[in-house]
Amino acid sequence: MRVVIALGGNALGNNPSEQREAIGNASKMVADLIEEGYEVILAHGNGPQVGMIQNCMPSQISLSACVSMSQAYIGLDMQNLLREELYNRGIYKTVVSVITQVSVEEEDSAFLNPTKPIGHFMTEEEARELARAGEHVMEDAGRGYRKVVASPKPVDIVEIQAIRNLVDNGNVVIACGGGGVPVVKKGNRLEKVDSVIDKDFASARLAELLDADFLVLLTGVERVAVNYAKPDQKWLSQITVEEAREYIRQGQFAPGSMLPKIEAAMEFSMSKAGRKTLITMLERASAGIHGGTGTVVVA
């Protein structure tokens, strides 16, 4: 079974040592699945990391360049720590990161309405100061304020054939880091655009193009809930795409938090008969793939 797993950038810590510790823990879960015979492809977010990189760079360095830097910064730790975990188990697979470009439409309406949070959380006063400087900021699911940028939908993955060849030949591939570097195709030229592609949508597109059976979107909770944090809160074990649409209509899922995961799950699960998406936390991912927990979205 081919599985694409998307790790959240916020789960990878706030500094290099925290990142290595978090990736080390994730590597054990991934190695468990590989040991069981699953074909695993990894993607990851970069929300805090790309913000930190951008804050360290001169102003003339583009956001797109910072996204590519974050792919290498996170990917290097992922490939080395997962390789070590696999080798310790006698599994001699090559783990490789692919600096990935993802094409978007130049006319995507997202460029008119920046909504994708990046970087560290801020207080309300810090957010107001940034807004006065001309930046877009928003409150992020009750956790604080963050800078926001445009988040166009992924159309295609430029390096997909190379990624497919690597996977088909038994390698463990890390791709679409941070949603990929957004580009617009203009003839034979790829033009970078300053925006951030949601890693869940990019992961869903990656899983679809690789003909994966399962997409796993990792988050901070074991299951998705409706009426979240209310007296009548209800945890969901499995929902259909139609049920998900109704919950979205009711406003059950927070934009910039659970909503893109649900929408990405719907896209992948509808893309071909038999495909499923699991939403759960890292520590429960293996149990979730085996049907023991998490929220599964089916067509």
Side-chain angles (χ1 to χ4, degrees):
M1 180 180 286
R2 182 169 287 185
V3 180
V4 171
I5 301 175
L7 295 159
N10 287 312
L12 299 179
N14 295 304
N15 56 55
S17 61
E18 287 183 6
Q19 177 170 295
R20 286 183 61 82
E21 180 180 0
I23 291 173
N25 292 333
S27 294
K28 292 178 173 61
M29 177 272 294
V30 174
D32 286 344
L33 294 174
I34 293 171
E35 199 166 32
E36 291 176 34
Y38 288 91
E39 203 171 37
V40 178
I41 301 96
L42 296 171
H44 62 81
N46 69 347
Q49 294 84 4
V50 74
M52 289 187 285
I53 291 170
Q54 192 174 38
N55 288 339
C56 294
M57 290 291 109
S59 59
Q60 64 267 28
I61 301 297
S62 69
L63 177 58
S64 295
C66 294
V67 171
S68 65
M69 292 178 198
S70 75
Q71 290 189 20
Y73 164 56
I74 298 169
L76 183 63
D77 278 345
M78 290 180 73
Q79 68 185 49
N80 285 345
L81 290 169
L82 178 55
R83 176 187 182 275
E84 180 180 351
E85 183 66 32
L86 291 172
Y87 274 44
N88 287 342
R89 301 182 188 206
I91 302 171
Y92 301 104
K93 285 181 174 286
T94 298
V95 185
V96 60
S97 302
V98 177
I99 303 301
T100 314
Q101 300 174 95
V102 175
S103 65
V104 301
E105 296 288 352
E106 192 171 17
E107 299 80 14
D108 194 307
S109 61
F111 289 112
L112 303 175
N113 181 34
T115 60
K116 179 63 178 175
I118 65 168
H120 64 278
F121 288 96
M122 298 175 285
T123 65
E124 185 174 359
E125 181 53 40
E126 288 172 328
R128 285 176 179 168
E129 184 175 343
L130 196 62
R132 285 194 290 268
E135 300 285 359
H136 294 276
V137 296
M138 66 177 289
E139 198 276 330
D140 185 5
R143 298 175 294 178
Y145 292 81
R146 296 172 77 188
K147 179 180 176 179
V148 292
V149 296
S151 183
K153 288 290 183 69
V155 175
D156 197 12
I157 296 171
V158 176
E159 291 80 15
I160 191 61
Q161 190 57 55
I163 295 168
R164 187 181 291 117
N165 290 342
L166 286 165
V167 173
D168 288 346
N169 282 282
N171 301 286
V172 182
V173 179
I174 303 157
C176 291
V181 177
V183 295
V184 171
K185 291 181 179 179
K186 295 194 173 180
N188 290 330
R189 181 165 55 91
L190 298 173
E191 184 174 288
K192 297 189 292 291
V193 288
D194 264 5
S195 58
V196 172
I197 299 171
D198 186 279
K199 72 99 173 38
D200 294 317
F201 285 112
S203 299
R205 190 73 179 122
L206 177 66
E208 182 181 346
L209 293 173
L210 291 177
D211 197 23
D213 305 287
F214 225 116
L215 171 64
V216 181
L217 303 177
L218 299 179
T219 186
V221 293
E222 187 168 346
R223 286 189 174 96
V224 178
V226 292
N227 301 320
Y228 184 70
K230 297 178 181 178
D232 57 345
Q233 174 178 294
K234 176 185 176 183
W235 297 106
L236 304 173
S237 296
Q238 180 169 301
I239 57 173
T240 66
V241 168
E242 286 304 316
E243 288 170 330
R245 284 199 185 104
E246 176 57 24
Y247 288 137
I248 290 172
R249 189 192 66 78
Q250 296 172 10
Q252 291 282 357
F253 308 122
S257 179
M258 190 57 72
L259 180 59
K261 294 187 190 311
I262 294 293
E263 291 176 331
M266 292 165 62
E267 285 191 9
F268 176 70
S269 298
M270 288 189 299
S271 63
K272 185 178 179 180
R275 288 177 173 167
K276 298 178 181 179
T277 304
L278 170 70
I279 302 174
T280 192
M281 62 200 307
L282 170 64
E283 296 81 359
R284 303 295 288 154
S286 181
I289 288 174
H290 291 94
T293 190
T295 300
V296 176
V297 181
V298 298

